[in-house]
Amino acid sequence: MKIQESGENYLETILLLHNRNGYVRSIDIANELDYSKPSVSRAMGILKNANLIMVEPGGNIVLTEEGQKRADAIYERHCFISEYLKTTLGISPEIASQDACRIEHIISEETFKKIKQFCKQSSK
């Protein structure tokens, strides 16, 4: 199932919050992204219906296996593109991260793989 850019941002945020805190609640996501609780609640419903997250009885949000795969892929793109922009092009870390956040959602899997392959070959 294709999810929107905002859904990908939520998945990435859940991944990062879980890695940082060991747990994720809706309020944590709202605070991290500076979104309203109702907006986060609606998004969690969409992600839950898409089988990308589960909400445990205590309110802890957990990525499903598919959600984890998607979040890992999004985060890999973000890190790789951000690092490329900083080290290869000399973009400031803040701008590189902001731009990577935009690029990671629109670049195709094929193009991303080719860029990674090109960078590996160029660094030899």
Side-chain angles (χ1 to χ4, degrees):
M1 172 185 194
K2 175 76 173 137
I3 59 171
Q4 303 294 321
E5 178 179 335
S6 61
E8 291 183 347
N9 280 332
Y10 280 110
L11 290 175
E12 185 177 19
T13 300
I14 293 166
L15 174 71
L16 295 173
L17 286 170
H18 181 267
N19 289 346
R20 185 184 323 148
N21 303 331
Y23 62 91
V24 182
R25 300 166 301 153
S26 289
I27 189 67
D28 302 319
I29 298 167
N31 290 337
E32 184 76 13
L33 296 174
D34 198 26
Y35 291 169
S36 70
K37 283 189 67 175
S39 294
V40 172
S41 180
R42 182 177 183 285
M44 293 307 100
I46 292 168
L47 294 176
K48 186 176 178 183
N49 288 339
N51 290 322
L52 297 172
I53 66 164
M54 295 181 299
V55 181
E56 295 178 333
N60 188 39
I61 297 167
V62 180
L63 294 167
T64 63
E65 186 176 331
E66 179 63 24
Q68 184 73 47
K69 280 195 263 184
R70 297 241 289 309
D72 287 341
I74 295 159
Y75 187 60
E76 177 193 18
R77 287 177 181 209
H78 180 93
C79 291
F80 184 87
I81 293 166
S82 181
E83 189 62 27
Y84 177 81
L85 294 173
K86 287 186 295 189
T87 59
T88 306
L89 302 179
I91 307 296
S92 72
E94 183 178 298
I95 298 296
S97 183
Q98 290 171 4
D99 287 347
C101 195
R102 290 184 198 98
I103 295 167
E104 71 194 34
H105 302 291
I106 59 171
I107 192 169
S108 70
E109 186 61 30
E110 179 182 357
T111 300
F112 181 65
K113 285 180 180 178
K114 292 289 186 179
I115 290 171
K116 279 178 44 178
Q117 184 180 39
F118 175 79
C119 289
K120 284 180 183 177
Q121 291 173 346
S122 296
S123 65
K124 291 182 182 179

